[in-house]
């Protein structure tokens, strides 16, 4: 990461973009603006960015399709802006690999706080990479330094947030980890009421891992308590 974290803001609301740009630059961010999905993808190709803020409702290819195209070639963290109460857009965005979401209208200070939380989480992840060796839980092998994971010898294609959650589950393999713990340690924020982010990310992880030989998922839900990684023999 450069001295100033580089934010790419993709939103067709020019006035709102200008407001967010002024606040973000005042808080120590470098900001690039794009007013539609195509321009945003072109901006990513032109210059590396540390994080993307992506509006769902845009003309042209739209935010969800833009995210889909971003994920074809990049695991850069993506914070999505969604309409208030629009669960479908949030869930679809998370399933496609968004790291978090915030509803519009979004106070600029909240946007700053969310971006910093995601970037702190990335920095903490890199520090852990330097401090910890490879992790193994049965047939699941995780390399924190390289941020890669293999299941039954095959590489897993994970988003940044999915990796964070999986790493926490591997570190606590065999122990029940509460949703609150996962939110704070993997998402970098406290769990809020009706927040389904962890559920969606876990659903995506389960789909990528598949089932154990006995037909169960390796990520078990312990009702009322949280989640537990069940180690399958190598």
């Amino acid at each position: 990461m450069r001295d100033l974290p580089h934010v790419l803001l993709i939103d067709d609301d020019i006035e709102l973009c200008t407001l967010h740009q002024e606040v973000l630059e005042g808080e120590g961010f470098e900001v690039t603006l794009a007013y539609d999905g195509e321009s945003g993808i072109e901006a990513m190709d032109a210059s590396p960015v540390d994080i993307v803020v992506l509006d769902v409702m845009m003309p042209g290819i739209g935010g969800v399709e833009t995210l889909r195209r971003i994920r074809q070639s990049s695991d850069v963290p993506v914070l999505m802006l969604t309409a208030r109460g629009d669960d479908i857009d949030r869930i679809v965005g998370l399933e496609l690999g968004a790291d978090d979401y915030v509803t519009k209208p979004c106070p600029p200070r909240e946007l700053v706080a969310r971006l910093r939380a995601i970037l702190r989480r990335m920095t903490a992840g890199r520090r852990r990479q330097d401090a910890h060796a490879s992790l193994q839980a049965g047939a699941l092998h995780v390399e924190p330094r390289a941020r890669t994971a293999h299941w039954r010898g095959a590489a897993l294609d994970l988003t940044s947030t999915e990796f964070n959650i999986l790493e926490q589950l591997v570190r606590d393999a065999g122990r029940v980890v509460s949703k609150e713990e996962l939110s704070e340690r993997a998402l970098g924020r406290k769990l809020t009421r009706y927040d389904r982010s962890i559920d969606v990310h876990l659903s995506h992880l389960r789909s990528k891992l598949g089932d154990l030989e006995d037909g169960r998922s390796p990520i078990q839900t312990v009702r009322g308590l949280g989640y537990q990684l069940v180690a399958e023999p190598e």
Side-chain angles (χ1 to χ4, degrees):
M1 190 179 297
R2 289 157 297 283
D3 291 338
L4 293 182
H6 187 185
V7 179
L8 172 60
L9 177 55
I10 309 175
D11 193 331
D12 64 314
D13 188 330
I14 297 176
E15 183 177 353
L16 185 62
C17 280
T18 300
L19 171 63
H20 285 326
Q21 181 181 28
E22 291 176 355
V23 173
L24 288 170
E25 289 180 343
E27 293 290 336
F29 292 86
E30 176 186 352
V31 181
T32 295
L33 300 180
Y35 302 116
D36 58 67
E38 294 284 2
S39 299
I41 292 172
E42 291 174 1
M44 285 191 63
D45 292 336
S47 176
V49 300
D50 297 306
I51 192 166
V52 176
V53 178
L54 176 61
D55 186 30
V56 170
M57 298 299 296
M58 294 188 298
I61 65 174
V64 171
E65 178 59 25
T66 300
L67 175 61
R68 191 191 310 274
R69 297 189 188 185
I70 288 173
R71 282 291 172 255
Q72 289 175 353
S73 59
S74 174
D75 63 354
V76 64
V78 176
L79 174 67
M80 298 201 75
L81 302 176
T82 68
R84 186 175 299 278
D86 197 342
D87 289 334
I88 293 177
D89 283 337
R90 288 199 289 270
I91 292 170
V92 170
L94 290 171
E95 288 179 342
L96 289 175
D99 292 85
D100 204 353
Y101 65 84
V102 65
T103 55
K104 297 177 67 174
C106 171
R109 297 301 175 186
E110 181 179 354
L111 180 62
V112 170
R114 290 294 187 97
L115 291 173
R116 283 180 171 161
I118 294 173
L119 293 172
R120 277 198 306 271
R121 176 164 102 219
M122 292 174 59
T123 301
R126 281 192 288 269
R127 288 172 180 166
R128 287 196 301 271
Q129 293 164 23
D130 294 335
H132 296 87
S134 302
L135 302 173
Q136 190 83 31
L140 185 58
H141 181 80
V142 174
E143 288 286 352
R145 185 180 302 277
R147 290 183 68 79
T148 59
H150 288 75
W151 171 246
R152 297 169 176 164
L156 293 170
D157 183 15
L158 304 176
T159 67
S160 175
T161 299
E162 288 167 0
F163 181 88
N164 289 342
I165 292 173
L166 186 62
E167 180 185 356
Q168 294 303 324
L169 289 173
V170 173
R171 291 187 183 280
D172 292 305
R175 185 180 79 85
V176 178
V177 184
S178 70
K179 187 184 293 188
E180 289 78 9
E181 283 183 89
L182 283 178
S183 184
E184 291 188 15
R185 293 161 59 187
L187 297 185
R189 58 180 171 82
K190 290 185 178 298
L191 186 70
T192 59
R193 193 177 184 185
Y194 305 125
D195 189 342
R196 296 187 58 199
S197 301
I198 291 292
D199 302 296
V200 175
H201 288 305
L202 282 169
S203 175
H204 216 194
L205 274 171
R206 285 177 171 133
S207 177
K208 292 181 178 183
L209 289 170
D211 293 333
L212 301 170
E213 291 183 358
D214 60 9
R216 295 182 302 160
S217 169
I219 300 176
Q220 293 286 300
T221 298
V222 182
R223 189 174 297 277
L225 295 177
Y227 306 93
Q228 181 180 25
L229 181 70
V230 179
E232 179 184 65
E234 294 184 81

